[in-house]
Structures are given as C-alpha cells and as structure tokens.
C-alpha cells in the first residue's frame, strides 16, 4: 500500500470462526473466553454468545492529514445487553509504518488510558501481572502491510465500553500519489458507522479520488467529497437501512476497501517548506525534471528453492519489466545458483531487439543448485564498474543492481557479515543495490542492511498469487531516476537537529522529506539550497523559506494539531535512528538505540523499542486486565509469519502417508527407540538399542540401489542422579552411490555432496536444494526431507533441547517414506523390516506394570516375551510427539532382529563394515 492510512474494519458481536486475511476492527463477546488472552486469533474463535447480547452501536474512523502527516482516531462503542458479564473484543489492523500514540477505554464513565513505556519495563510489568493471576494480553501480530492491535475486557451486565485508538505516520508518496485505504467488513449492521478524512495541504491539492470496491450504484452517492484549493473533506456514513443487503434483512453491503488517493500541486523547483512553532519541514519533489538514464543489472536467484511458482512468477515479472526499460537505459541479466551465469559479458542498450532477446532468455530460466549470493552480486558490481571505466555506458547515468533471492547463501561465501563487507567495498558508494527477498526463508535483516549500506533499500516479496505484481510494482518505483546525490542545505546558524538531508537518488513519483528544529523559535525565514546531479547538467536551486500563516490559509478551522511539524520531525528522526541501530559499531548502535528510546517516550510513540501498557485495575468482581501493544520490526514480523504459516508441506505430506498408506514405516527416534508400524495390522513393534555413545549402526543397506544409511549415537552431557544413561542418534550418514549423493546430518549442520559439489547447510536456516538426482528441503530448527530420484524419501527430525539443560542435548529422529521402492535385498536395523514381518501374539498376562501386560510373540521361529507399551511418535507433533501403542521387544530386539545388535555396528559413518 502506497500511503499510510490503512485500516481494516471488522465488527462482530456474533458467532464467527472466520479469521480475516488482513486485519479487523472487531467488537464481540464471549462467556467462555474470559481466560483466553494470548494471540489475536483467539478473539475470532470459540464464540458462543447470542447475537443480541452485545450491540455494536457506533464505529467511527477520523483521519486528519496535515501536510502529509496523518493523525487517525478510531472509536468504537458497544453495549452488553445481557444479564451477565460479557467479554468484549476490540481488534484493528493499522499500517506497519504507523506509530500508536494512544489507546484508552471508557467503561461506565471510567477512563483507562494507556502509557508508553520502555519495552523491557513493559515486559516486566506484563510478567508480574501474569504471575499475580491477572488476565494479561501481550498484543502483537502482523500481516503484509498491517499490524494487528487486539484487546478484550470483561464488561458488566447492561454496561457500555468505548475503545479509542490513535496512531500517526507520515504518508509516503509512491508513483505520484498518496493513498488512504480502509478495509471495511462489519458483517453486521451498525447504527452509527462513519469514515471521515480531512486533508489540509498548503501547497494546494492537485486531485482527490475516493471510491470503494463494495460501492453499488445506491451507495456511491453516499460518498461525500468537498475539495477546495488547499482542503479536502471526504466522508462515508450510511444509515442502517442503507447498509442492508435487502429490505428487512440483517446482511450488510459494506464489505471491501474504501480508498482515497490524492496529490498536491508542485509549482516550485525548491519544493515546499513549512515553518510552524519552531520546527520546519521541507517537501522536495520538483515537477518536469528529465529522467536520468539508468544502468541496471538484474541478478536472479535460480537455486533449487526457487522452483515451482516462484521461478514462474519471476519469469512473468521479467517479461513485464523488460519492455518498460527506456531505450537510453542499459541492462543485463545475471543468473545464479552455486554458479554465476552471465547472459552478456557487459551491459547492452535497451533497444527493442535487445529487449526481445532478453525476454527469450528469461523464458528459459530454469532452477539449478545452491545459492551463491556473494559471487553473483560481486559479478554485477564489477561489470558495472568496468563498463563505466570503459565508457560502454553513459557517464551521466545512474547505476543499480536489483537482486532477487528467496534464500540464504549456501554456496561460495556464506558468512553474512563478510558478504556485506565484500559488497560494500566493491561498490565503494558508486551505485545502488536493491534487494528483493522472496518468501519467508530469506534473512531479511541481512538483505536490508546490505541494501542500505549501498544506497538502496530492501523489499519483501510475499509468496502469493500477486508476487508478479509485487515485483513489477517495486520496479516501477525505481524505474525513472530524476536526480542523484541530492543535498538539501540549510544555514548552520538557523537550524539544528536535522533529519537526513542527503539522498542517493530521487525517483519520479516519489518525494524527499527533511525536517529540523529552528535555533531561534521566532525565526520565520531562512535560505535553502538544493543541489543534485541531473541528466545533462547539475541541478541547483536556492530560495528563501518563510513561515506559513495557517490562519489565513485555513480560516475558521478549529483543529489542525498545531505541533504537527514537531511530531513529524520526531517521527522521521525515530525512524532513521531505528535504521542506525541495525549497522555500524557497537557504540553507534547503542547511542542510536538510547536516543530512539528517549524520543519514543517523549512523544508517546509505540516503536520497536517501546510498548503501550493499558491497565484496568482490579475490583472485587474483576481480577483486572493488563494489555501490552508492541511494534514489530520487519524481522520479527517475518518470524511471526513463519510461526503462523510454517513451511511444513513435507510434514503434511508425511502425515498423509502415515494416515493413508499401507507401507511399512520403520522409524528410529528417542533413546534410541525403534518402531516398526504395520498399518495393515493396525499395530506396531518396538525395541531399544542400548550401547555406548559414539557407536555407529547400519540402519539401511540396499546393495541393489546403492543406498546406505548409518547412524551414530550420542549420550547425555553427564550421567543423571538416577544413574540412567540415555543414548540418542546425533549423526546420520546417507549415501546413494548410483546417484552420486552423499549427506552427513548432525544436530548442528547438514553437509550435502552431489556429483563432487559440496554444500553445507545450518539447521538455524531454512533451505531448499533441488537437483537432477535429489531434492532437499530444510525447515529451520525442525526437519529435513530428502527425496531421492525414483526412490525413497527420508525425513530427519531435529529435537531441540533447552541449552541450559543439565543432562540432555539435541538429538535426531529418522523416518522413511515409500520404503516399498527399495529392493527385496534391503537390510539393516531398520531396512530388514521395510517389506514386513510376520508375527503372532498370544498368552496375554499381567506384567510388572498393571497397565502394561506381557504376552508371548511368535516371530522368525522363536518365542519372545514382549510387553504392551507406548512409543513416542513425533511425525504429527515434532515438539511433543504422541503415544503410539506397540509390542515392546526386550534385550536390544533380540529374536526380532536378524542376528544380534553387534552385527550392525560399522566402523565409519559411510562404511558398510
């Protein structure tokens, strides 16, 4: 969303299980949910209240925009009409670039106001509330463009509650306009429903558009728009009858997006400077500047993890972007996996013929191996530098590299800090690097820092059906540079505490904003100079700034928050300080953090370093409530999305096999526990292997296919007080000789070798490798799935143990899918069971433990004493597992396995003997 007022409205006082894809303002009630306060989603579940018990009678959204600075107040009121207390929910999504400045609740004329506190202190208060038995809600959630704010309070019978949320932000100009978006999904009729926006722009308003995706011919006239030279008023306030889908029915027509777009007049080359109450703001976006030719290298990740939809959408985006290159631009394509592939040895002019050739090349992009980000970006940088030196590209032009990747660097240089340092040294400040992170597996922080250290920016591209549009949209923003190396200069004796006043480039349709504080509060004018590098000549303009007389421009206007320039300055300053906390020396990061915290508290902004704390005191009938509103960084937002939508497609596939397949499924997981599941008999066999830590066992050996799997045991850190020695599998070796595949999997890393190419992956990262003979998918700190061509799939689960645990440590579990694809000669501790085992169980009798009876098993011509017990299976639930009933064979599986356990001990992780 370009622009900054984005709000999603959803108003419910009814039973509903639908969770919105993008946010909500929700008001609803629930008898049984009083203790559920964790997570925003819980406010949309387990509702059992009668619709009539809670009436949402008022919802208003009021946005005041003063010189691009938006101040939004959302107010909603509800009445508990029931004869008993009800829990009322308030939930709203606001733009992720906005700062919450206030939240308050009014309950029966008593007002509870939130306070902004340093995040660590807020966390301590939250933990204290939880320990004392208070109902406490730690509120933070995320979405693509929005952040979710959600609270709930218990309201007495026949009582009212009013929620008021306020947030502020600076509207960002993109593609020549500002945008205000409100998503409205009330799902019921609301007596007083109103959206109002007042826009005040001293420069003059160029145009205003207002429309809604849900507006029918009957509703369209209800959008009122009044526009003068410098002011616009837009409102939408349907009556209850006008909201109805049909006469007499309760359904509402209000369901969709309400959008306002506008821009301001730009007649001055100097820009617009406003001085109010001792602070100034300078908006710079001069009209009619000629575009500067650009030299762009598209660096495209084609590693295995880009397979499927991602690479298809990338191809589609390139096919749309390439024709938009101007003929005086120069460009080329670089593809990379674990190798870097050049389309051309140097950049070429974007003629119609060359663009057509590039499109043909883009259509044929196919996925390959690993991910060498370092090598690919350095090749792009060096190509630009060499072409500039050899005068193959224009001198007065803008150089840029656009990197698209979906993963972590697993080939070449893999140390993130070294890659950043390599790129920073290579560019030497002579070009811009734009980083597009595709999906949730990228390290966004790594890309963000690398881009901003090299005059660029990073952008997340979300895995969705509109990913192609996202890529095109980003390119449009940077497609037409107008100026480079822009400096906005002010007299040192007139202003101080400037926000950033040097910008690497100005793109068509964007805007540069600088704010500062005046040394003399009575100063109403000073000299301003703007310089930059243009197409054919340098840009330079000087002028005198002067204070705006707001009373003349907006007569009889009771409220335009007069400190908006100061708050705008504080907003920009904090945003820039937060960026400085990501890079630089430890001292620089610490100083930036301290300053950002101090300013956030002073101006009551909820930032990633502060929290809004709202407390409803304890009464005799109510234990009280405490809520904390946090603001997520982009990295935290990404992590929240990973947790909400884990990339566990292979685990789902795994469970599908578990539930639906009649294949034998031998597994090993735990201390070390072996389980052979027999779906046709709806039964399982289990046995343990007890041996010294460090012993290597052969688990699977198929001489026909050339597959070998060995596992090495590990022990606890030290012997527990009860003297019990636990062993687990902590290392696996997997070989497919015919395919040339070799893996070593430990609790810390995965080493992959295929056709003499070697890649090392870490469990701490998500990864995907795809090759002609195997596919490998790693979910961060959780699981690995190896698919061998025309053969079995192996799944390895990583069990993370608390690092401070006095005894236990991380260990691995091993699972096999499609075992029927192995030959009849397969063997090993697990392999011998892949094609089944015949047995009968009888003579059931009491065992040592009453709930675990003993029995006699007839198997392989022997009679064994077995015990009915349970085995932990982690396939459905990686963290906790579930108990599966099985017949336990004692003495290291003696009698069930062929020979003795010592027969399966081998001398090395990849040895057969």
């Amino acid at each position: 969303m370009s622009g900054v007022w984005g709000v999603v409205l959803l108003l419910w006082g009814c039973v509903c299980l639908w969770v919105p894809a993008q946010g909500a303002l929700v008001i609803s009630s629930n008898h049984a949910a009083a203790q559920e306060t964790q997570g925003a989603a819980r406010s949309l579940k387990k509702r059992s209240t009668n619709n009539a018990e809670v009436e949402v009678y008022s919802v208003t959204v009021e946005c005041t925009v003063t010189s691009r600075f938006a101040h939004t107040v959302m107010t909603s009121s509800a009445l508990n009409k029931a004869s008993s207390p009800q829990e009322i929910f308030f939930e709203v999504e606001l733009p992720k670039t906005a700062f919450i400045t206030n939240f308050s609740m009014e309950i029966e004329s008593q007002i509870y106001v939130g306070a902004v506190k340093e995040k660590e202190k807020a966390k301590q208060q939250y933990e204290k509330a939880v320990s004392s038995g208070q109902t406490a809600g730690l509120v933070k959630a995320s979405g693509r463009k929005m952040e979710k704010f959600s609270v709930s309070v218990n309201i007495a019978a026949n009582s009212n509650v009013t929620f008021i949320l306020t947030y502020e932000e600076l509207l960002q100009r993109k593609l020549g306009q500002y945008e205000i978006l409100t998503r409205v999904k009330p799902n019921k009729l609301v007596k007083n429903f109103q959206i109002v926006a007042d826009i005040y722009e001293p420069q003059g308003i160029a145009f205003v558009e207002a429309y809604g995706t849900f507006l029918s011919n009957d509703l369209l006239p209800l959008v009122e728009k009044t526009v003068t030279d410098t002011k616009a008023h837009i409102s939408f306030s349907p009556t209850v009858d006008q909201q109805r889908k049909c006469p007499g029915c309760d359904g509402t027509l209000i369901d969709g997006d309400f959008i306002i777009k506008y821009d301001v007049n730009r007649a001055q080359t100097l820009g617009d400077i406003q001085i109010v109450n001792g602070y100034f703001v300078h908006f710079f976006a001069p009209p009619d500047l000629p575009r500067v030719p650009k030299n762009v290298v598209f660096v495209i990740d084609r590693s295995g993890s880009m397979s499927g939809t991602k690479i298809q959408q990338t191809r589609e985006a390139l096919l749309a972007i390439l024709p938009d290159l101007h003929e005086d631009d120069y460009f080329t394509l670089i593809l990379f996996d674990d190798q870097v592939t050049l389309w051309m040895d140097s950049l070429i002019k974007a003629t119609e013929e060359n663009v057509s050739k590039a499109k043909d090349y883009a259509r044929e992009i196919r996925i390959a191996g690993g991910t060498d980000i370092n090598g690919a970006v350095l090749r792009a940088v060096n190509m630009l530098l060499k072409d500039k030196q050899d005068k193959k590209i224009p001198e007065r032009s803008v150089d840029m590299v656009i990197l698209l990747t979906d993963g972590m660097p697993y080939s070449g240089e893999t140390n993130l800090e070294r890659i950043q340092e390599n790129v920073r040294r290579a560019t030497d400040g002579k070009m811009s690097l734009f980083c597009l992170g595709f999906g949730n597996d990228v390290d966004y922080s790594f890309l963000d820092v690398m881009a901003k250290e090299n005059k660029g920016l990073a952008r997340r591209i979300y895995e969705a059906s509109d990913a192609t549009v996202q890529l095109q949209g980003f390119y449009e923003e940077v497609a037409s540079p107008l100026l480079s190396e822009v400096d906005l200069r002010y007299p040192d004796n007139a202003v101080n505490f400037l926000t950033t006043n040097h910008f690497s480039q100005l793109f068509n349709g964007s805007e540069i904003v600088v704010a500062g504080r005046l040394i003399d509060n009575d100063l109403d004018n000073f000299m301003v100079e703007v310089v930059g590098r243009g197409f054919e000549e340098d840009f330079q303009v000087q002028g005198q700034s002067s204070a705006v007389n707001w009373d003349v421009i907006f007569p009889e206007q009771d409220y335009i928050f007069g400190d908006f320039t100061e708050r705008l300055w504080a907003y920009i300053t904090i945003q820039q300080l937060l960026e400085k906390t990501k890079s630089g020396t430890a001292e620089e990061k610490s100083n930036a953090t301290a300053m950002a915290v101090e300013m956030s508290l002073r101006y009551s902004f909820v930032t990633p370093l502060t929290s809004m704390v709202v407390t409803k005191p304890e009464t005799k009938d109510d234990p009280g409530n405490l809520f904390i509103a946090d603001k997520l960084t982009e990295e935290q937002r990404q992590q929240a999305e990973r947790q909400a939508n884990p990339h566990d497609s292979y685990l789902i596939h795994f469970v599908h096999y578990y539930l639906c397949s009649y294949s034998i499924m031998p597994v090993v997981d735990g201390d070390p526990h072996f389980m052979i599941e027999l779906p046709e008999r709806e039964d399982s066999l289990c046995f343990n292997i007890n041996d010294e830590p460090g012993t290597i066992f052969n688990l699977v050996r198929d001489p026909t296919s050339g597959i070998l799997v060995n596992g090495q045991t590990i022990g606890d850190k030290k012997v527990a007080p009860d003297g019990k020695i636990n062993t687990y599998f902590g290392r696996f070796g997997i070989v497919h000789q015919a395919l040339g595949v070799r893996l070593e999997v430990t609790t810390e890393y995965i080493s992959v070798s295929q056709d003499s190419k070697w890649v090392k992956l870490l469990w701490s990262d998500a990864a995907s490798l795809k090759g002609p003979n195997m596919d490998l998918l790693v979910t961060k700190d959780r699981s690995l799935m190896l698919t061998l061509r025309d053969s079995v799939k192996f799944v390895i689960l990583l069990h993370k143990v608390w690092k401070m645990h006095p005894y236990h440590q991380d260990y691995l579990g091993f699972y096999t899918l499609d075992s029927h694809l192995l030959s009849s000669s397969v063997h090993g501790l697990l392999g011998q069971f892949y094609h089944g085992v015949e047995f009968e169980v009888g003579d059931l009798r009491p065992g040592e433990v009453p709930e675990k009876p003993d029995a006699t098993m007839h198997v392989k011509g022997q009679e064994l004493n077995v015990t009915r017990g349970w085995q932990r299976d982690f396939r459905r639930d990686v963290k906790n597992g579930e108990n599966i009933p099985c017949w336990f064979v004692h003495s290291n599986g003696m009698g069930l396995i062929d020979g003795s356990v010592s027969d399966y001990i081998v001398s090395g992780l990849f040895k057969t003997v």
Side-chain angles (χ1 to χ4, degrees):
M1 179 181 67
S2 63
V4 186
W5 180 39
V7 149
V8 183
L9 297 173
L10 224 131
L11 308 153
W12 292 336
C14 59
V15 177
C16 193
L17 295 177
W18 176 67
V19 181
Q22 285 195 30
L25 166 56
V26 180
I27 295 187
S28 58
S29 66
N30 177 18
H31 285 295
Q35 300 304 316
E36 289 188 298
T37 59
Q38 295 295 327
R42 60 93 172 92
S43 64
L44 303 176
K45 299 178 180 179
K46 302 181 181 178
R47 309 270 169 88
S48 59
T49 187
N50 189 301
N51 287 358
E53 291 181 342
V54 172
E55 178 190 359
V56 181
Y57 60 86
S58 178
V59 172
T60 62
V61 180
E62 298 174 301
C63 180
T64 303
V65 180
T66 312
S67 293
R68 288 67 135 190
F69 195 61
H71 175 92
T72 303
V73 180
M74 306 184 62
T75 306
S76 191
S77 301
L79 170 64
N80 176 16
K81 300 166 69 174
S83 58
S84 60
Q86 298 284 308
E87 189 170 24
I88 310 292
F89 293 81
F90 174 82
E91 186 172 290
V92 61
E93 281 200 18
L94 60 151
K96 64 184 183 182
T97 51
F99 291 156
I100 293 173
T101 62
N102 182 57
F103 175 71
S104 60
M105 300 180 294
E106 182 175 351
I107 304 173
E108 291 302 296
S109 301
Q110 181 69 45
I111 298 177
Y112 306 95
V113 180
V116 176
K117 298 187 177 183
E118 192 172 348
K119 179 160 287 188
E120 188 58 36
K121 293 181 179 178
K123 182 181 178 182
Q124 293 172 4
Q125 187 173 350
Y126 166 75
E127 292 171 346
K128 182 178 179 181
V130 173
S131 64
S132 64
Q134 279 190 312
T135 301
L138 186 63
V139 184
K140 54 182 179 182
S142 65
R144 182 187 292 192
K145 298 177 180 178
M146 304 291 210
E147 289 183 336
K148 188 177 293 182
F149 177 87
S150 174
V151 297
S152 65
V153 292
N154 212 38
I155 303 300
N158 301 309
S159 296
N160 292 276
V161 59
T162 295
F163 301 98
I164 303 173
L165 176 71
T166 305
Y167 62 86
E168 296 175 352
E169 63 177 330
L170 177 66
L171 294 177
Q172 300 171 14
R173 187 172 186 250
K174 293 183 179 179
L175 302 177
Q177 62 189 13
Y178 310 96
E179 182 179 281
I180 301 169
L181 181 147
T182 307
R183 179 157 296 166
V184 285
K185 290 181 176 291
N187 275 19
K188 67 177 299 182
L189 305 173
V190 180
K191 184 177 180 181
N192 176 31
F193 180 85
Q194 187 176 45
I195 300 173
V196 178
D198 286 299
I199 302 170
Y200 303 94
E201 293 288 355
Q203 280 181 259
I205 295 176
F207 73 88
V208 177
E209 298 175 357
Y211 59 95
T213 59
F214 57 87
L215 291 180
S216 63
N217 290 334
D218 293 333
L219 288 178
L220 193 58
L222 301 181
V223 179
E224 298 182 357
K225 183 175 70 172
T226 304
V227 183
T228 63
D229 289 343
T230 57
K231 179 182 176 182
H233 175 83
I234 302 96
S235 66
F236 176 64
S237 182
T239 65
V240 170
D241 286 338
Q242 289 167 334
Q243 296 172 41
R244 297 184 192 277
K245 278 189 174 180
C246 57
C249 64
D250 293 332
T252 177
L253 290 168
I254 313 298
D255 185 0
D257 295 339
F258 187 79
I259 300 162
I260 300 169
K261 295 181 178 181
Y262 82 96
D263 197 15
V264 300
N265 296 325
R266 302 183 186 277
Q268 302 177 39
T269 55
L270 183 65
D272 177 54
I273 301 166
Q274 298 174 24
I275 303 173
V276 181
N277 294 342
Y279 288 82
F280 82 93
V281 59
H282 184 181
F283 301 99
F284 179 71
D288 304 325
L289 284 177
R291 64 176 299 278
V292 178
K294 65 179 180 293
N295 313 306
V296 56
V297 181
F298 297 97
V299 181
I300 307 300
D301 183 348
R302 64 166 183 179
S303 62
S305 57
M306 285 285 290
S307 62
T309 304
K310 287 182 187 176
I311 201 67
Q312 177 184 341
Q313 291 174 322
T314 300
R315 285 194 294 261
E316 292 171 355
L318 283 172
L319 293 176
I321 288 169
L322 290 170
D324 286 342
L325 289 165
H326 292 262
E327 192 157 329
D328 56 356
D329 290 338
Y330 284 74
F331 78 105
T332 192
L333 301 169
I334 291 180
L335 309 181
F336 72 96
D337 43 81
D338 50 0
Q339 303 291 324
V340 178
T341 303
L342 306 183
W343 175 51
M344 295 286 178
D345 292 332
S346 62
L347 284 80
I348 61 173
K349 198 169 186 180
T351 63
E352 185 175 345
E353 180 183 1
N354 287 338
V355 167
S356 178
K357 291 178 181 178
K359 290 171 66 177
D360 291 340
Y361 183 74
R363 290 187 184 97
E364 298 304 317
I365 296 175
R366 297 292 182 266
I367 56 94
T371 312
D372 185 2
I373 293 176
N374 182 74
V377 174
L378 292 183
R379 288 293 291 272
V381 171
N382 291 333
M383 184 184 292
L384 278 166
L385 292 173
K386 187 175 187 302
D387 283 3
K388 204 87 167 196
Q389 181 180 355
D390 295 344
K391 302 187 183 304
K392 292 181 179 180
I393 52 181
E395 178 64 27
R396 298 189 76 90
S397 56
V398 172
D399 300 333
M400 63 176 69
V401 176
I402 298 179
L403 166 68
L404 171 66
T405 182
D406 77 329
M408 293 289 289
Y410 296 120
S411 301
E413 179 58 73
T414 58
N415 183 281
L416 302 185
E417 292 184 357
R418 280 200 293 268
I419 294 174
Q420 291 168 340
E421 174 65 19
N422 292 343
V423 174
R424 186 168 61 249
R425 287 183 176 179
T427 65
D428 194 26
K430 295 176 181 176
M431 64 190 66
S432 296
L433 171 64
F434 299 99
C435 297
L436 305 180
F438 204 152
N440 265 339
D441 294 336
V442 297
D443 186 327
Y444 180 80
S445 177
F446 159 65
L447 296 180
D448 186 43
V449 170
M450 187 165 66
K452 287 172 180 170
E453 287 181 341
N454 294 280
K455 299 184 176 182
L457 57 87
R459 182 75 56 84
R460 290 182 62 195
I461 303 299
Y462 295 82
E463 285 188 67
S465 59
D466 68 339
T468 299
V469 177
Q470 295 177 58
L471 291 167
Q472 288 177 252
F474 170 79
Y475 173 75
E476 289 176 11
E477 291 179 37
V478 301
S480 298
L482 303 178
L483 294 173
S484 60
E485 306 306 329
V486 185
D487 280 302
L488 292 83
R489 300 169 181 171
Y490 313 92
D492 292 338
N493 61 353
V495 302
N496 60 11
F497 295 104
L498 275 178
T499 60
T500 298
N501 64 327
H502 173 81
F503 298 84
S504 300
Q505 59 276 119
L506 170 68
F507 294 104
N508 187 38
S510 66
E511 181 176 61
I512 287 174
V513 183
V514 178
R517 193 170 75 181
L518 303 180
I519 294 175
D520 182 356
N521 284 346
D522 295 327
L523 185 69
D524 60 4
N525 67 85
F526 52 85
M527 287 296 297
V528 177
E529 181 182 24
V530 182
V531 298
R533 185 177 171 86
F535 174 32
E536 295 180 336
E537 59 185 7
D538 290 345
F539 177 90
Q540 184 172 8
V541 61
Q542 289 182 330
Q544 189 81 15
S545 67
S546 59
V548 173
N549 191 331
W550 288 84
D551 293 333
V552 173
I553 299 176
F554 303 109
E556 300 178 2
Q557 180 59 48
D558 293 334
Y559 175 71
I560 301 176
F561 46 119
D563 62 346
F564 85 91
T565 48
E566 181 178 356
R567 296 191 66 80
L568 186 156
W569 165 79
Y571 174 91
I572 298 174
T573 300
I574 293 171
Q575 293 277 27
Q576 293 175 356
L577 286 170
L578 291 172
E579 290 299 326
K580 291 179 181 179
T581 64
K582 299 177 183 179
S583 60
T585 65
E587 184 179 3
E588 289 169 341
K589 291 179 182 179
S590 177
N591 290 339
T593 299
M595 292 174 65
V597 168
E598 190 276 328
M599 289 191 66
S600 299
L601 295 174
R602 190 197 320 168
Y603 290 95
S604 295
F605 283 142
V606 176
T607 71
L609 302 174
T610 56
S611 300
M612 174 75 72
V613 180
V614 186
T615 304
K616 181 172 179 274
E618 181 179 354
T619 65
K620 65 177 182 179
D621 300 320
D622 189 344
N625 303 78
L626 183 141
F627 307 99
I628 295 182
D630 279 347
K631 182 164 189 66
L632 304 179
T633 63
E634 192 64 41
E635 295 73 27
Q636 292 168 333
R637 187 177 295 109
Q638 184 183 28
Q639 183 61 34
E641 290 163 8
R642 285 172 177 164
Q643 293 171 354
N645 301 291
H647 290 186
D648 285 347
S649 59
Y650 63 94
L651 285 180
I652 295 171
H653 181 63
F654 189 30
V655 171
H656 170 77
Y657 267 81
Y658 176 73
L659 294 175
C660 305
S661 173
Y662 287 100
S663 299
I664 310 301
M665 299 192 67
V667 303
V668 56
D669 207 339
D671 175 25
H673 301 296
F674 290 76
M675 180 170 66
I676 299 95
E677 187 160 6
L678 305 162
E680 288 183 330
R681 299 188 56 153
E682 297 184 353
D683 211 344
S684 299
L685 306 178
C686 306
F687 62 95
N688 282 355
I689 294 295
N690 298 309
D691 212 302
E692 293 293 322
T695 306
I696 301 175
F697 294 98
N698 172 243
L699 303 179
V700 182
R701 185 175 72 254
D702 186 356
T704 302
S705 65
I707 291 178
L708 176 74
V709 181
N710 291 335
Q712 185 174 27
T713 59
I714 58 173
D716 283 337
K717 298 175 184 176
K718 60 181 180 180
V719 179
D722 60 6
K724 182 180 180 182
I725 300 176
N726 296 296
T727 57
Y728 314 86
F729 278 105
R731 190 166 166 241
F732 291 113
I734 303 174
V735 175
H736 194 309
Q737 293 176 344
L739 298 180
V741 173
R742 181 172 174 145
L743 272 80
E744 179 186 358
V745 183
T746 74
T747 56
E748 295 182 353
Y749 64 85
I750 302 109
S751 175
V752 186
S753 175
Q754 181 175 356
D755 297 330
S756 300
K757 296 180 180 179
W758 178 82
V759 177
K760 184 176 181 180
L761 310 175
L762 299 178
W763 280 108
S764 56
D765 299 312
S768 176
L769 298 178
K770 198 172 186 70
N773 295 327
M774 63 151 226
D775 292 345
L776 185 70
L777 186 62
V778 180
T779 292
K780 178 179 179 179
D781 288 334
R782 182 174 295 188
S783 321
L784 170 154
M785 183 175 190
L786 171 67
T787 302
L788 297 170
R789 190 187 70 191
D790 301 328
S791 188
V792 294
K793 298 180 177 69
F794 294 127
V795 174
I796 295 176
L797 304 184
L798 173 65
H799 297 282
K800 298 285 287 184
V801 176
W802 179 45
K803 289 186 179 299
M804 302 302 292
H805 196 288
Y807 310 114
H808 303 320
Q809 59 180 320
D810 297 350
Y811 64 95
L812 303 172
F814 181 84
Y815 298 75
T816 309
L817 305 180
D818 297 327
S819 58
H820 64 282
L821 296 177
L822 292 167
S823 75
S824 58
S825 60
V826 65
H827 207 263
L829 275 174
L830 286 179
Q832 63 188 291
F833 301 107
Y834 281 160
H835 295 296
V837 57
E838 296 295 329
F839 69 94
E840 296 293 336
V841 176
D843 187 23
L844 197 65
R845 55 192 180 273
E848 292 184 9
V849 180
E851 63 269 21
K852 295 183 178 181
D854 286 345
T856 299
M857 175 181 290
H858 297 270
V859 59
K860 295 183 178 181
Q862 302 185 61
E863 290 187 1
L864 306 179
N865 181 58
V866 294
T867 302
R868 193 61 170 173
W870 292 269
Q871 172 64 48
R872 212 74 166 150
D873 186 347
F874 295 90
R875 283 173 287 187
R876 286 188 178 90
D877 186 342
V878 176
K879 182 177 180 181
N880 301 308
E882 61 178 325
N883 285 325
I884 300 295
C886 67
W887 291 107
F888 185 80
V889 181
H890 303 275
S891 304
N892 289 334
M894 183 67 72
L896 175 64
I897 65 173
D898 295 336
S900 68
V901 69
S902 61
D903 297 334
Y904 299 89
I905 296 176
V906 294
S907 59
L909 199 63
F910 300 101
K911 301 288 188 180
T912 57
V913 293

